[in-house]
């Protein structure tokens, strides 16, 4: 029912900024909480950020607080991840996700996943 497509990844230097976008299909976008996860080389996928359907409630992983900002534009069916002060350890494939509630995103109870967009941070 819902398809998610990420974009905006690339190769940047440490300290640079990057904005990721996730475009969603469907006409019930505002009813979903959204989130971002990332996967470094290997099988594990790490929670990064989550936002409620209204956009007024947000949660972040401790490793990105103060550097990353999640936002959404429901009129455009799009969620964003603004990444500032990037570090080498931020290098990963970043995935967009949709779930029933913000808590579901944080708890990894995800209904839909995007295909991922790679981010590489070099020193």
């Amino acid at each position: 029912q819902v398809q998610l497509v990420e974009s905006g990844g690339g190769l940047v230097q440490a300290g640079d900024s990057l904005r990721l976008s996730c475009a969603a299909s469907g006409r019930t976008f505002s009813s979903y909480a959204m989130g971002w996860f990332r996967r470094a080389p290997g099988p594990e996928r790490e929670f990064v950020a989550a936002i409620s359907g209204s956009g007024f409630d947000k949660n972040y992983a401790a490793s990105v607080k103060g550097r990353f900002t999640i936002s959404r534009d429901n009129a455009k069916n799009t969620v964003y991840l603004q990444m500032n002060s990037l570090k080498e350890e931020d290098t990963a494939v970043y995935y967009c996700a949709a779930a029933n509630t913000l808590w579901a995103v944080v708890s990894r109870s995800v209904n839909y996943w995007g295909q991922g967009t790679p981010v590489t941070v070099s020193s």
Side-chain angles (χ1 to χ4, degrees):
Q1 182 180 358
V2 176
Q3 293 184 347
L4 306 173
V5 180
E6 303 95 331
S7 62
L11 174 64
V12 298
Q13 295 287 325
D16 285 353
S17 296
L18 203 60
R19 173 169 285 204
L20 307 183
S21 298
C22 174
S25 66
R27 297 182 176 180
T28 58
F29 178 70
S30 63
S31 69
Y32 288 99
M34 303 293 295
W36 289 93
F37 294 77
R38 65 188 183 186
R39 180 183 59 79
E44 295 185 354
R45 186 158 51 190
E46 175 190 14
F47 167 75
V48 175
I51 187 168
S52 65
S54 68
F56 289 111
D57 295 309
K58 302 175 182 180
N59 284 100
Y60 297 94
S63 60
V64 305
K65 284 183 179 179
R67 299 190 299 119
F68 291 11
T69 302
I70 189 170
S71 62
R72 66 191 295 160
D73 186 338
N74 288 343
K76 297 181 179 180
N77 280 19
T78 303
V79 63
Y80 305 95
L81 185 68
Q82 177 67 45
M83 305 184 294
N84 298 328
S85 302
L86 283 162
K87 306 174 181 180
E88 285 191 64
E89 51 262 45
D90 295 318
T91 295
V93 177
Y94 283 72
Y95 297 88
C96 181
N100 291 338
T101 66
L102 183 145
W103 178 243
V105 175
V106 175
S107 302
R108 283 76 166 169
S109 184
V110 172
N111 293 7
Y112 303 98
W113 292 99
Q115 84 291 339
T117 186
V119 173
T120 301
V121 184
S122 65
S123 61

